[in-house]
Amino acid sequence: MSQLIRLRDIQATHRDLIGDDYYDPTGKTAFGVNEEKIGKIEGALVEDTTGRIRYLIVDAGGWFSSKEVLVPAGLARIVGDDVFFDSLTKSQVEAMEVYDHDYQYSYKEQYERDRQAFVADSIPEAERMEIADHNYDAPNTLDLLEERLTVNKDRIVAGLVKVGKHVVTEERNVNVDLEEEHANIERTNVNRPTERRIGDIDGNETIEVELEAERAHVNKETYVTEEVNVGKTTERHTETIVDTIQREELDVDNNGNVIDRDGNLFTRDDITAEDVRRARGM
């Protein structure tokens, strides 16, 4: 009769049986029907001869204040760090026996307890479930995850242009042609008789002649010499964004078991053609 032991115990005593990449669900968040949060995975029970996971130890603190139960591994759907029991209801968990850390469980004995728990009278008829052998197989559905880059564009203020004006003072030379009059005395020797007598006229007789000159007057007029219009133009350029992304691929060990990057363990019979194509990158 196959005995069941805790995964952490077989990790400590039979590391050669399970290898270093063995899937460990401990600490993952558990969800029940309709994705209701149950609690978390406290560990797993595995076969002592093969190391295959048969039960997940579920802390149902989300439904009950304190209760740990054994849920068949085949009911689990593992997505990243979450474990989904899509058909597991609160009534079913309530009908299960509390997990005893000190009890030595066997696969056959616990199988019979499950058959009784899932069809108990305390469970609504619509929630009763027949337990089949495949409910104890390791989960046969893997979601291979891949990160993809998404780039969004934000508009930011890349610069600010201010256009103003200021006064510049400078000296400017302007050439102006001016005219001015100068006295031009011409003396001509003559020899003609006259009836005037010397002394008849004041000896201080003078002749006055006004001399005119042009003077420059400076006036300043304001002219518009330039018009400045400020607009915007849009230039396009291509920027290359470099980042690191991850994706999950399948690994196949030498024993015919399939292990993903997180350590999820599957037998070769559980793998579909689609899984193989995705693992090969086809």
Side-chain angles (χ1 to χ4, degrees):
M1 182 170 57
S2 177
Q3 297 296 314
L4 299 175
I5 61 177
R6 289 181 67 98
L7 175 59
R8 68 183 184 187
D9 295 333
I10 201 172
Q11 287 173 331
T13 59
H14 295 81
R15 173 64 67 176
D16 56 333
L17 180 63
I18 62 176
D20 295 329
D21 296 330
Y22 196 85
Y23 173 67
D24 187 352
T26 303
K28 296 187 180 296
T29 304
F31 297 87
V33 66
N34 299 324
E35 297 188 0
E36 295 179 17
K37 185 176 180 180
I38 301 175
K40 63 180 180 178
I41 306 299
E42 290 294 339
L45 293 186
V46 303
E47 289 183 350
D48 59 349
T49 56
T50 65
R52 295 195 62 184
I53 294 178
R54 291 301 188 182
Y55 285 93
L56 298 182
I57 305 172
V58 180
D59 179 358
W63 278 346
F64 305 96
S65 59
S66 177
K67 185 174 185 179
E68 288 184 352
V69 295
L70 296 178
V71 180
L75 299 181
R77 178 172 58 90
I78 300 169
V79 181
D81 289 332
D82 297 326
V83 178
F84 294 89
F85 300 98
D86 297 320
S87 60
L88 188 64
T89 67
K90 185 176 181 179
S91 298
Q92 292 169 346
V93 174
E94 188 174 13
M96 295 178 184
E97 293 186 5
V98 175
Y99 170 65
D100 186 349
H101 289 253
D102 298 324
Y103 185 77
Q104 180 61 59
Y105 289 88
S106 69
Y107 177 67
K108 182 177 180 180
E109 179 184 20
Q110 189 59 32
Y111 178 83
E112 294 299 327
R113 291 180 178 178
D114 292 339
R115 291 172 62 89
Q116 298 174 9
F118 281 96
V119 296
D121 294 337
S122 58
I123 300 177
E125 186 174 354
E127 299 179 20
R128 296 175 187 176
M129 179 175 58
E130 292 292 338
I131 295 297
D133 291 339
H134 64 79
N135 293 128
Y136 298 90
D137 295 333
N140 59 5
T141 300
L142 274 181
D143 290 341
L144 298 185
L145 307 181
E146 177 181 277
E147 296 176 336
R148 296 186 178 181
L149 297 179
T150 58
V151 180
N152 297 318
K153 295 187 293 184
D154 295 327
R155 296 195 68 86
I156 63 174
V157 177
L160 181 63
V161 177
K162 291 184 177 180
V163 178
K165 60 182 181 179
H166 63 281
V167 177
V168 177
T169 301
E170 62 180 358
E171 292 184 352
R172 181 67 58 85
N173 296 327
V174 180
N175 295 324
V176 181
D177 293 331
L178 301 176
E179 292 182 354
E180 63 180 357
E181 295 177 338
H182 295 274
N184 183 15
I185 300 175
E186 295 182 0
R187 301 176 67 178
T188 304
N189 293 323
V190 296
N191 185 16
R192 68 174 181 270
T194 180
E195 295 181 354
R196 291 185 301 171
R197 296 288 184 268
I198 297 174
D200 291 343
I201 302 176
D202 186 0
N204 294 327
E205 181 183 8
T206 60
I207 299 175
E208 292 183 356
V209 178
E210 291 183 352
L211 300 178
E212 296 181 353
E214 294 178 337
R215 184 169 57 185
H217 295 278
V218 178
N219 295 319
K220 291 185 286 186
E221 295 180 355
T222 303
Y223 288 82
V224 178
T225 60
E226 186 179 0
E227 291 183 350
V228 178
N229 293 321
V230 179
K232 297 190 296 183
T233 59
T234 300
E235 296 182 358
R236 297 183 181 275
H237 68 279
T238 301
E239 182 174 339
T240 301
I241 306 298
V242 179
D243 203 347
T244 301
I245 63 175
Q246 298 177 326
R247 69 171 182 270
E248 298 174 341
E249 297 181 351
L250 295 179
D251 290 336
V252 180
D253 66 10
N254 294 331
N255 296 323
N257 296 322
V258 176
I259 306 172
D260 76 349
R261 293 294 183 186
D262 289 333
N264 298 326
L265 179 64
F266 299 90
T267 64
R268 187 178 297 275
D269 294 337
D270 293 328
I271 304 305
T272 65
E274 179 63 22
D275 292 330
V276 175
R277 285 195 296 270
R278 294 170 65 183
R280 293 177 178 173
M282 299 174 63

